[in-house]
Amino acid sequence: MVLEADSIIFKVGDRDILRGAFIKCELGEVVGVLGRNGSGKSVLFEIIFGTLKANNSFVRIDERVLTGKAYRSGLITFMPQFDYLPRHLKVKTILWTAAIPREIYMSDEVINRICNHRVNELSGGELRYLELFVALHSQPPFIILDEPFTGMSPIVVEKMQKAIRGASKNHGIIISDHKYKVLCSLADRIVYLEEGTTKYIENISELKGKYYMGSEEEIPMPFVSERSEIGA
């Protein structure tokens, strides 16, 4: 199963935010999206998910074209940057609503500890972890994660990485974050979004002057690009 989003154009007045952006994700892989603040990563994700209307877009999963509100297809889950869980509900109610089996969430140390709390009683880190946990255990085959590591401690980020990699065995995952070292070590492929277009990164040296200025040996990069430049 493959998700493809192509020819995505989004304008705000006379400003081009996205101009022909393309991204592809297959089941069983993690695709990382890098780009500076304001480059359009969140806009791209919202257009794919169907909560933002583009000037032009083509989104499909296999042969099924997703028009309008793609989230209604039941094929995509989206974890946005902002808090989205109902704050008055208990954690265990949210987990039950998401149809996550009790044996799964009770086996997670963090979720087990907070399951009887209300969402508005959680710390920022606990809430972010819960949001990720719910997204990764959702039924749709594709998951979009918008900056899940923001404000998280290194220990929690490491735990989240393992959870994402585990979930990728049964899902296709598209993820953005400013912790580019984490993203590069986690992703099978990296896409860089700049000036409204997308480019697949084949070597860490291509990020110099954008994110990364150090030695190439410092960051493991498991991904291999299929296409060197797309959407330019």
Side-chain angles (χ1 to χ4, degrees):
M1 188 174 283
V2 182
L3 183 156
E4 293 180 285
D6 199 359
S7 305
I8 297 181
I9 298 173
F10 184 79
K11 299 174 180 287
V12 176
D14 295 331
R15 183 187 175 198
D16 294 326
I17 306 298
L18 299 173
R19 48 188 188 90
F22 172 93
I23 193 167
K24 174 182 176 182
C25 181
E26 300 183 17
L27 281 188
E29 74 171 347
V30 178
V31 177
V33 180
L34 290 174
R36 295 187 182 278
N37 284 331
S39 61
K41 301 184 298 297
S42 296
V43 170
L44 175 62
F45 290 170
E46 290 184 39
I47 289 171
I48 295 172
F49 189 56
T51 50
L52 183 64
K53 183 175 176 58
N55 295 87
N56 185 78
S57 65
F58 179 80
V59 180
R60 73 177 180 183
I61 294 178
D62 288 344
E63 299 305 316
R64 180 176 176 179
V65 177
L66 304 180
T67 59
K69 297 176 173 59
Y71 56 85
R72 291 181 175 174
S73 69
L75 297 173
I76 307 175
T77 291
F78 179 39
M79 175 184 171
Q81 290 185 36
F82 55 84
D83 301 341
Y84 68 94
L85 296 176
R87 299 186 63 81
H88 66 285
L89 292 180
K90 282 192 173 183
V91 171
K92 64 182 180 182
T93 301
I94 290 172
L95 297 169
W96 177 81
T97 303
I100 301 174
R102 188 176 189 276
E103 60 270 20
I104 290 179
Y105 69 75
M106 291 302 288
S107 65
D108 184 282
E109 179 183 356
V110 176
I111 300 300
N112 186 9
R113 174 166 50 81
I114 66 174
C115 68
N116 288 313
H117 291 73
R118 295 188 185 277
V119 171
N120 60 13
E121 297 173 334
L122 303 181
S123 69
E126 289 170 338
L127 176 56
R128 202 63 179 154
Y129 186 88
L130 173 62
E131 291 170 339
L132 179 68
F133 186 88
V134 171
L136 294 181
H137 289 86
S138 62
Q139 295 301 314
F142 292 97
I143 302 170
I144 301 175
L145 306 173
D146 196 356
E147 299 191 13
F149 306 131
T150 299
M152 308 303 291
S153 70
I155 293 176
V156 176
V157 168
E158 184 177 351
K159 183 176 177 65
M160 293 169 81
Q161 282 183 268
K162 292 179 180 178
I164 291 168
R165 178 49 66 188
S168 71
K169 295 176 182 178
N170 300 308
H171 298 82
I173 299 176
I174 300 174
I175 176 174
S176 74
D177 205 90
H178 288 292
K179 294 183 185 294
Y180 66 94
K181 293 183 181 181
V182 174
L183 209 59
C184 287
S185 64
L186 177 65
D188 299 295
R189 291 184 292 134
I190 291 287
V191 175
Y192 191 77
L193 181 57
E194 184 176 37
E195 296 182 352
T197 63
T198 43
K199 176 182 178 181
Y200 277 101
I201 300 298
E202 295 182 335
N203 191 286
I204 191 65
S205 62
E206 296 178 67
L207 295 177
K208 288 184 176 180
K210 303 178 187 295
Y211 278 90
Y212 178 58
M213 299 298 292
S215 168
E216 296 178 17
E217 286 74 22
E218 292 179 16
I219 303 178
M221 298 186 76
F223 56 85
V224 177
S225 173
E226 295 179 358
R227 299 170 65 181
S228 61
E229 188 156 349
I230 300 173

Coordinates of all heavy atoms in Angstrom, one line a residue, residues 7-88:
S7 N 1.8 17.3 -6.8 CA 1.3 18.6 -7.4 C 0.6 19.5 -6.5 O -0.4 20.1 -6.8 CB 0.4 18.3 -8.7 OG 1.1 17.4 -9.6
I8 N 1.1 19.5 -5.2 CA 0.4 20.3 -4.2 C 0.8 21.8 -4.3 O 2.0 22.1 -4.2 CB 0.7 19.7 -2.8 CG1 0.1 18.3 -2.7 CG2 0.0 20.6 -1.7 CD1 0.3 17.6 -1.4
I9 N -0.2 22.6 -4.4 CA 0.0 24.1 -4.5 C -0.9 24.7 -3.5 O -2.0 24.4 -3.3 CB -0.4 24.6 -5.9 CG1 0.6 24.0 -7.0 CG2 -0.3 26.1 -6.0 CD1 0.2 24.3 -8.4
F10 N -0.2 25.6 -2.7 CA -1.0 26.4 -1.7 C -0.5 27.8 -1.7 O 0.7 28.0 -1.5 CB -0.8 25.7 -0.3 CG -1.7 26.4 0.7 CD1 -3.0 26.1 0.8 CD2 -1.1 27.3 1.6 CE1 -3.8 26.7 1.8 CE2 -1.9 27.9 2.6 CZ -3.2 27.6 2.7
K11 N -1.4 28.7 -1.8 CA -1.0 30.1 -1.8 C -1.7 30.9 -0.7 O -2.9 30.6 -0.3 CB -1.4 30.8 -3.1 CG -0.7 30.2 -4.4 CD -1.3 30.8 -5.6 CE -0.7 30.3 -6.9 NZ 0.7 30.8 -7.1
V12 N -1.1 31.9 -0.1 CA -1.7 32.8 0.8 C -1.5 34.2 0.1 O -0.4 34.8 0.2 CB -1.0 32.8 2.2 CG1 -1.7 33.9 3.1 CG2 -1.2 31.4 2.8
G13 N -2.6 34.7 -0.4 CA -2.4 36.0 -1.2 C -1.5 35.7 -2.4 O -1.8 34.8 -3.2
D14 N -0.5 36.5 -2.5 CA 0.5 36.4 -3.6 C 1.6 35.5 -3.3 O 2.5 35.3 -4.1 CB 1.0 37.8 -4.1 CG -0.1 38.6 -4.6 OD1 -1.1 38.1 -5.2 OD2 0.0 39.9 -4.5
R15 N 1.6 35.0 -2.0 CA 2.8 34.2 -1.6 C 2.5 32.7 -1.8 O 1.5 32.2 -1.5 CB 3.0 34.4 -0.1 CG 4.2 33.7 0.4 CD 4.3 33.8 2.0 NE 5.4 33.0 2.5 CZ 5.5 32.6 3.8 NH1 4.6 33.0 4.6 NH2 6.5 31.9 4.2
D16 N 3.5 32.1 -2.5 CA 3.5 30.6 -2.7 C 4.0 29.9 -1.5 O 5.2 30.0 -1.3 CB 4.2 30.2 -4.0 CG 3.6 30.8 -5.2 OD1 2.4 30.9 -5.3 OD2 4.4 31.1 -6.2
I17 N 3.2 29.2 -0.8 CA 3.7 28.4 0.4 C 4.2 27.0 -0.2 O 5.3 26.5 0.2 CB 2.6 28.2 1.4 CG1 2.0 29.5 1.9 CG2 3.1 27.4 2.6 CD1 3.1 30.4 2.5
L18 N 3.4 26.4 -1.0 CA 3.7 25.1 -1.6 C 3.5 25.3 -3.1 O 2.5 25.8 -3.6 CB 2.9 24.0 -1.1 CG 3.0 23.6 0.4 CD1 2.0 22.6 0.8 CD2 4.4 23.2 0.7
R19 N 4.5 24.8 -3.9 CA 4.3 24.9 -5.4 C 4.8 23.7 -6.0 O 6.0 23.5 -6.5 CB 5.1 26.2 -5.9 CG 6.5 26.4 -5.4 CD 7.1 27.7 -5.9 NE 8.5 27.8 -5.6 CZ 9.4 27.5 -6.4 NH1 9.1 27.0 -7.6 NH2 10.7 27.6 -6.1
G20 N 3.9 22.7 -6.1 CA 4.2 21.4 -6.7 C 4.9 20.4 -5.8 O 5.6 19.6 -6.3
A21 N 4.6 20.5 -4.5 CA 5.3 19.6 -3.6 C 4.8 18.1 -3.8 O 3.6 17.9 -4.2 CB 5.0 20.0 -2.1
F22 N 5.7 17.2 -3.6 CA 5.4 15.8 -3.7 C 6.0 15.0 -2.6 O 7.1 15.3 -2.1 CB 6.0 15.3 -5.0 CG 6.0 13.8 -5.2 CD1 4.9 13.2 -5.9 CD2 7.0 12.9 -4.7 CE1 4.9 11.8 -6.1 CE2 6.9 11.6 -4.8 CZ 5.8 11.0 -5.5
I23 N 5.2 14.0 -2.1 CA 5.8 13.1 -1.1 C 5.1 11.7 -1.3 O 3.9 11.6 -1.7 CB 5.5 13.6 0.3 CG1 6.4 12.8 1.4 CG2 4.1 13.6 0.7 CD1 6.4 13.5 2.7
K24 N 5.9 10.7 -1.0 CA 5.4 9.3 -1.1 C 5.8 8.5 0.1 O 6.9 8.7 0.6 CB 6.1 8.7 -2.4 CG 5.8 7.2 -2.6 CD 6.5 6.8 -3.9 CE 6.3 5.3 -4.1 NZ 7.1 4.8 -5.2
C25 N 4.9 7.7 0.6 CA 5.2 6.8 1.7 C 4.6 5.5 1.5 O 3.4 5.4 1.1 CB 4.7 7.5 3.0 SG 5.0 6.5 4.5
E26 N 5.3 4.4 1.8 CA 4.8 3.1 1.6 C 4.7 2.4 3.0 O 5.3 2.8 4.0 CB 5.8 2.2 0.8 CG 6.0 2.7 -0.6 CD 6.9 1.8 -1.4 OE1 7.1 0.6 -1.0 OE2 7.4 2.3 -2.5
L27 N 3.8 1.4 3.1 CA 3.7 0.7 4.4 C 5.0 0.1 4.7 O 5.7 -0.4 3.9 CB 2.6 -0.4 4.2 CG 1.2 -0.1 4.3 CD1 0.3 -1.4 4.3 CD2 0.8 0.7 5.5
G28 N 5.3 0.2 6.0 CA 6.6 -0.4 6.5 C 7.8 0.5 6.5 O 8.9 0.1 6.8
E29 N 7.5 1.8 6.1 CA 8.7 2.8 6.1 C 8.3 4.1 6.9 O 7.1 4.4 7.1 CB 9.1 3.1 4.7 CG 8.2 4.0 3.9 CD 8.8 4.5 2.6 OE1 10.0 4.3 2.4 OE2 8.1 5.0 1.8
V30 N 9.4 4.7 7.3 CA 9.3 6.1 7.9 C 9.9 7.1 7.0 O 11.1 6.9 6.6 CB 10.0 6.1 9.3 CG1 9.9 7.5 9.9 CG2 9.4 5.0 10.2
V31 N 9.1 8.1 6.6 CA 9.6 9.2 5.8 C 9.7 10.4 6.6 O 8.7 10.9 7.2 CB 8.7 9.4 4.5 CG1 9.2 10.6 3.7 CG2 8.6 8.1 3.7
G32 N 10.9 11.0 6.7 CA 11.1 12.2 7.5 C 11.0 13.4 6.6 O 11.5 13.4 5.5
V33 N 10.4 14.5 7.1 CA 10.3 15.7 6.4 C 11.0 16.8 7.2 O 10.6 17.1 8.4 CB 8.8 16.1 6.2 CG1 8.7 17.4 5.4 CG2 8.1 15.0 5.4
L34 N 12.0 17.4 6.6 CA 12.7 18.5 7.2 C 12.5 19.8 6.5 O 12.1 19.8 5.3 CB 14.3 18.2 7.2 CG 14.8 17.1 8.1 CD1 16.2 16.9 7.9 CD2 14.5 17.5 9.6
G35 N 12.6 20.9 7.2 CA 12.4 22.2 6.6 C 12.4 23.3 7.6 O 12.1 23.0 8.8
R36 N 12.8 24.5 7.3 CA 12.9 25.6 8.3 C 11.5 26.0 8.7 O 10.5 25.6 8.1 CB 13.6 26.8 7.7 CG 15.1 26.5 7.4 CD 15.8 27.8 7.0 NE 17.2 27.6 6.6 CZ 18.2 27.5 7.5 NH1 17.9 27.7 8.8 NH2 19.4 27.3 7.2
N37 N 11.4 26.7 9.8 CA 10.1 27.2 10.3 C 9.5 28.0 9.1 O 10.1 28.9 8.5 CB 10.3 28.1 11.5 CG 10.5 27.3 12.8 OD1 10.0 26.2 12.9 ND2 11.2 27.9 13.7
G38 N 8.2 27.8 8.9 CA 7.5 28.5 7.8 C 7.7 28.0 6.4 O 7.2 28.6 5.5
S39 N 8.4 26.8 6.3 CA 8.6 26.3 5.0 C 7.3 25.6 4.4 O 7.3 25.3 3.2 CB 9.8 25.3 5.0 OG 9.5 24.2 5.9
G40 N 6.4 25.3 5.3 CA 5.1 24.7 4.8 C 4.9 23.2 5.2 O 4.0 22.6 4.6
K41 N 5.7 22.7 6.1 CA 5.5 21.3 6.5 C 4.1 21.0 7.1 O 3.5 20.0 6.7 CB 6.6 20.9 7.5 CG 8.0 21.1 7.1 CD 9.0 20.6 8.1 CE 9.0 21.4 9.4 NZ 9.3 22.8 9.3
S42 N 3.7 21.8 8.0 CA 2.4 21.6 8.6 C 1.3 21.8 7.6 O 0.3 21.1 7.6 CB 2.2 22.5 9.8 OG 3.1 22.3 10.9
V43 N 1.4 22.8 6.7 CA 0.5 23.0 5.6 C 0.4 21.8 4.8 O -0.7 21.3 4.4 CB 0.9 24.2 4.8 CG1 0.0 24.3 3.5 CG2 0.7 25.5 5.6
L44 N 1.5 21.2 4.4 CA 1.5 20.0 3.6 C 0.8 18.9 4.3 O 0.0 18.2 3.6 CB 3.0 19.6 3.3 CG 3.2 18.3 2.6 CD1 2.6 18.3 1.2 CD2 4.7 17.9 2.5
F45 N 1.0 18.7 5.5 CA 0.4 17.6 6.3 C -1.1 17.8 6.4 O -1.9 16.8 6.2 CB 1.0 17.5 7.7 CG 2.4 17.0 7.7 CD1 3.1 17.1 8.9 CD2 3.0 16.5 6.6 CE1 4.4 16.6 9.0 CE2 4.3 16.0 6.7 CZ 5.0 16.1 7.9
E46 N -1.5 19.0 6.6 CA -3.0 19.3 6.8 C -3.7 19.1 5.4 O -4.9 18.7 5.4 CB -3.2 20.7 7.3 CG -2.8 20.9 8.7 CD -3.1 22.3 9.3 OE1 -4.2 22.8 8.9 OE2 -2.3 22.8 10.0
I47 N -3.0 19.4 4.3 CA -3.6 19.2 3.0 C -3.8 17.7 2.7 O -4.8 17.3 2.3 CB -2.8 19.9 1.9 CG1 -2.9 21.4 2.0 CG2 -3.2 19.4 0.5 CD1 -1.9 22.2 1.1
I48 N -2.8 16.9 3.1 CA -2.8 15.5 2.9 C -4.0 14.9 3.7 O -4.8 14.1 3.2 CB -1.5 14.8 3.2 CG1 -0.4 15.3 2.2 CG2 -1.7 13.3 3.2 CD1 1.0 14.8 2.6
F49 N -4.1 15.4 5.0 CA -5.1 14.8 5.9 C -6.5 15.3 5.5 O -7.5 14.6 5.8 CB -4.7 15.3 7.3 CG -5.6 14.6 8.4 CD1 -5.6 13.2 8.5 CD2 -6.3 15.4 9.3 CE1 -6.4 12.6 9.5 CE2 -7.0 14.8 10.3 CZ -7.1 13.4 10.4
G50 N -6.6 16.5 4.9 CA -7.9 16.9 4.4 C -8.5 18.0 5.3 O -9.7 18.4 5.1
T51 N -7.7 18.6 6.2 CA -8.3 19.7 7.0 C -7.9 21.0 6.5 O -8.3 22.0 7.1 CB -7.8 19.5 8.5 OG1 -6.3 19.4 8.5 CG2 -8.4 18.3 9.2
L52 N -7.2 21.1 5.4 CA -6.9 22.4 4.7 C -7.0 22.2 3.2 O -6.5 21.2 2.7 CB -5.4 22.8 5.1 CG -4.9 24.1 4.6 CD1 -5.8 25.3 5.1 CD2 -3.5 24.3 4.9
K53 N -7.7 23.1 2.6 CA -7.9 23.0 1.2 C -6.8 23.7 0.4 O -6.4 24.8 0.7 CB -9.3 23.7 0.8 CG -9.6 23.5 -0.7 CD -11.0 24.1 -0.9 CE -11.3 24.1 -2.4 NZ -11.3 22.7 -3.0
A54 N -6.2 23.0 -0.5 CA -5.1 23.5 -1.4 C -5.7 24.2 -2.6 O -6.8 23.9 -3.0 CB -4.2 22.4 -1.7
N55 N -4.8 25.0 -3.2 CA -5.2 25.5 -4.5 C -5.2 24.4 -5.6 O -6.0 24.4 -6.5 CB -4.2 26.6 -4.9 CG -4.3 27.8 -4.0 OD1 -3.6 27.8 -3.0 ND2 -5.1 28.8 -4.4
N56 N -4.3 23.4 -5.4 CA -4.3 22.2 -6.2 C -3.6 21.1 -5.4 O -2.7 21.3 -4.7 CB -3.5 22.5 -7.5 CG -3.5 21.3 -8.5 OD1 -4.5 21.1 -9.2 ND2 -2.5 20.5 -8.5
S57 N -4.2 19.9 -5.6 CA -3.6 18.8 -4.9 C -4.1 17.5 -5.5 O -5.2 17.4 -6.1 CB -3.9 18.8 -3.4 OG -5.2 18.6 -3.2
F58 N -3.3 16.4 -5.4 CA -3.6 15.1 -5.8 C -3.1 14.1 -4.8 O -1.9 14.0 -4.6 CB -3.1 14.8 -7.2 CG -3.4 13.4 -7.7 CD1 -4.6 13.1 -8.3 CD2 -2.5 12.3 -7.6 CE1 -5.0 11.9 -8.7 CE2 -2.8 11.1 -8.0 CZ -4.1 10.8 -8.6
V59 N -4.0 13.5 -4.0 CA -3.7 12.6 -3.0 C -4.3 11.3 -3.2 O -5.6 11.2 -3.5 CB -4.1 13.1 -1.6 CG1 -3.7 12.1 -0.5 CG2 -3.5 14.5 -1.3
R60 N -3.6 10.2 -3.2 CA -4.2 8.9 -3.4 C -3.4 7.8 -2.6 O -2.3 8.0 -2.2 CB -4.1 8.5 -4.9 CG -2.7 8.1 -5.4 CD -2.8 7.6 -6.8 NE -1.5 7.3 -7.4 CZ -1.3 6.9 -8.6 NH1 -2.3 6.8 -9.5 NH2 -0.1 6.6 -9.0
I61 N -4.2 6.8 -2.2 CA -3.6 5.6 -1.6 C -3.9 4.4 -2.5 O -5.1 4.1 -2.7 CB -4.2 5.4 -0.2 CG1 -3.8 6.6 0.7 CG2 -3.7 4.1 0.4 CD1 -4.3 6.5 2.2
D62 N -2.8 3.9 -3.0 CA -2.9 2.9 -4.1 C -3.7 3.5 -5.3 O -3.4 4.6 -5.7 CB -3.5 1.6 -3.6 CG -2.6 0.8 -2.7 OD1 -1.4 1.1 -2.8 OD2 -3.0 -0.1 -2.0
E63 N -4.8 2.9 -5.6 CA -5.6 3.4 -6.8 C -6.8 4.3 -6.3 O -7.5 4.8 -7.1 CB -6.1 2.3 -7.6 CG -5.0 1.4 -8.3 CD -4.1 2.3 -9.1 OE1 -4.5 3.1 -9.8 OE2 -2.8 2.0 -8.9
R64 N -6.9 4.5 -5.0 CA -8.0 5.3 -4.5 C -7.6 6.7 -4.3 O -6.8 7.1 -3.5 CB -8.5 4.7 -3.1 CG -9.7 5.5 -2.5 CD -10.2 4.9 -1.3 NE -11.2 5.7 -0.7 CZ -11.9 5.4 0.5 NH1 -11.6 4.3 1.1 NH2 -12.8 6.2 1.0
V65 N -8.3 7.6 -5.1 CA -8.0 9.0 -5.0 C -8.8 9.6 -3.8 O -10.0 9.4 -3.8 CB -8.4 9.7 -6.3 CG1 -8.1 11.3 -6.2 CG2 -7.5 9.2 -7.5
L66 N -8.1 10.4 -3.0 CA -8.8 11.0 -1.8 C -9.1 12.4 -2.1 O -8.2 13.2 -2.2 CB -7.9 10.9 -0.6 CG -7.4 9.4 -0.2 CD1 -6.5 9.5 1.0 CD2 -8.6 8.5 0.0
T67 N -10.3 12.7 -2.2 CA -10.7 14.1 -2.6 C -11.4 14.7 -1.3 O -12.0 14.0 -0.5 CB -11.7 14.1 -3.7 OG1 -12.9 13.3 -3.4 CG2 -11.1 13.6 -5.0
G68 N -11.2 16.0 -1.2 CA -11.8 16.7 0.0 C -11.3 16.3 1.3 O -10.0 16.3 1.5
K69 N -12.1 15.8 2.2 CA -11.7 15.5 3.6 C -11.2 14.1 3.6 O -11.9 13.1 3.9 CB -12.9 15.7 4.5 CG -13.4 17.2 4.5 CD -14.7 17.3 5.4 CE -15.0 18.8 5.6 NZ -15.3 19.4 4.3
A70 N -9.9 13.9 3.4 CA -9.3 12.6 3.3 C -9.4 11.8 4.6 O -9.4 10.6 4.6 CB -7.8 12.8 2.9
Y71 N -9.4 12.6 5.7 CA -9.5 11.9 7.0 C -10.8 11.0 7.2 O -10.8 10.1 7.9 CB -9.4 12.9 8.2 CG -10.5 14.0 8.1 CD1 -11.8 13.7 8.7 CD2 -10.2 15.2 7.6 CE1 -12.7 14.7 8.7 CE2 -11.2 16.2 7.6 CZ -12.4 16.0 8.1 OH -13.4 16.9 8.1
R72 N -11.8 11.3 6.4 CA -13.0 10.5 6.4 C -12.8 9.2 5.8 O -13.7 8.3 5.9 CB -14.2 11.3 5.7 CG -14.6 12.5 6.5 CD -15.8 13.2 5.8 NE -16.3 14.3 6.6 CZ -17.2 15.2 6.1 NH1 -17.7 15.0 4.9 NH2 -17.6 16.2 6.9
S73 N -11.7 9.0 5.1 CA -11.5 7.7 4.4 C -11.1 6.6 5.4 O -11.2 5.4 5.1 CB -10.3 7.8 3.4 OG -9.1 8.1 4.1
G74 N -10.7 7.0 6.6 CA -10.3 6.0 7.6 C -8.9 5.4 7.2 O -8.5 4.4 7.8
L75 N -8.2 6.1 6.3 CA -6.9 5.5 5.9 C -5.7 6.3 6.5 O -4.5 5.9 6.3 CB -6.8 5.5 4.4 CG -7.8 4.6 3.7 CD1 -7.8 4.8 2.2 CD2 -7.5 3.1 4.0
I76 N -6.0 7.5 7.1 CA -4.9 8.4 7.6 C -5.2 8.9 9.0 O -6.3 9.3 9.3 CB -4.7 9.6 6.6 CG1 -4.5 9.2 5.2 CG2 -3.5 10.4 7.1 CD1 -4.4 10.3 4.2
T77 N -4.2 8.8 9.8 CA -4.3 9.4 11.2 C -3.3 10.6 11.2 O -2.2 10.5 10.6 CB -3.9 8.4 12.2 OG1 -4.9 7.5 12.3 CG2 -3.8 9.1 13.6
F78 N -3.6 11.7 11.9 CA -2.8 12.9 11.9 C -2.6 13.3 13.4 O -3.6 13.5 14.1 CB -3.4 14.0 11.1 CG -2.6 15.3 11.1 CD1 -1.2 15.3 11.0 CD2 -3.2 16.5 11.1 CE1 -0.5 16.5 11.0 CE2 -2.5 17.7 11.1 CZ -1.1 17.7 11.0
M79 N -1.3 13.4 13.8 CA -1.0 14.0 15.1 C -0.5 15.4 14.8 O 0.7 15.6 14.4 CB 0.0 13.2 15.8 CG 0.5 13.8 17.1 SD 1.8 12.7 17.8 CE 2.4 13.8 19.2
P80 N -1.2 16.5 15.0 CA -0.8 17.8 14.8 C 0.2 18.4 15.8 O 0.4 17.7 16.9 CB -2.1 18.6 14.7 CG -3.0 17.9 15.7 CD -2.6 16.4 15.6
Q81 N 0.7 19.5 15.6 CA 1.6 20.2 16.6 C 0.8 20.6 17.9 O 1.3 20.5 19.0 CB 2.2 21.4 16.0 CG 3.3 21.2 15.0 CD 3.9 22.5 14.5 OE1 4.2 23.4 15.4 NE2 4.2 22.6 13.3
F82 N -0.4 21.0 17.7 CA -1.2 21.5 18.8 C -1.9 20.4 19.6 O -2.2 19.3 19.0 CB -2.2 22.5 18.3 CG -3.2 22.0 17.3 CD1 -4.3 21.3 17.6 CD2 -2.9 22.2 15.9 CE1 -5.2 20.8 16.6 CE2 -3.7 21.7 14.9 CZ -4.9 21.0 15.3
D83 N -2.3 20.6 20.8 CA -3.0 19.7 21.6 C -4.4 19.5 21.0 O -5.1 20.4 20.8 CB -3.1 20.1 23.1 CG -1.8 20.4 23.7 OD1 -0.8 19.8 23.2 OD2 -1.8 21.1 24.8
Y84 N -4.8 18.2 20.9 CA -6.1 18.0 20.2 C -7.0 17.1 21.0 O -8.2 16.9 20.7 CB -5.9 17.4 18.8 CG -5.3 16.0 18.8 CD1 -6.2 14.9 18.7 CD2 -4.0 15.8 18.8 CE1 -5.6 13.6 18.7 CE2 -3.4 14.6 18.8 CZ -4.3 13.5 18.7 OH -3.7 12.2 18.7
L85 N -6.5 16.4 22.1 CA -7.4 15.5 22.9 C -8.3 16.3 23.8 O -7.9 17.3 24.4 CB -6.5 14.6 23.7 CG -5.7 13.6 22.8 CD1 -4.8 12.8 23.7 CD2 -6.5 12.7 22.0
P86 N -9.6 15.9 24.0 CA -10.5 16.6 24.9 C -9.9 16.6 26.3 O -9.6 15.6 26.9 CB -11.8 15.7 24.8 CG -11.7 15.0 23.5 CD -10.2 14.8 23.3
R87 N -9.8 17.8 26.8 CA -9.1 18.0 28.1 C -9.8 17.5 29.3 O -9.3 17.3 30.4 CB -8.6 19.4 28.3 CG -7.7 19.9 27.2 CD -7.2 21.3 27.4 NE -6.3 21.3 28.6 CZ -5.1 21.0 28.7 NH1 -4.4 20.5 27.6 NH2 -4.4 21.1 29.8
H88 N -11.2 17.4 29.2 CA -12.0 17.0 30.3 C -12.1 15.5 30.5 O -12.5 15.0 31.5 CB -13.4 17.6 30.2 CG -14.2 17.0 29.0 ND1 -13.9 17.3 27.7 CD2 -15.2 16.1 29.0 CE1 -14.7 16.7 26.9 NE2 -15.5 15.9 27.7

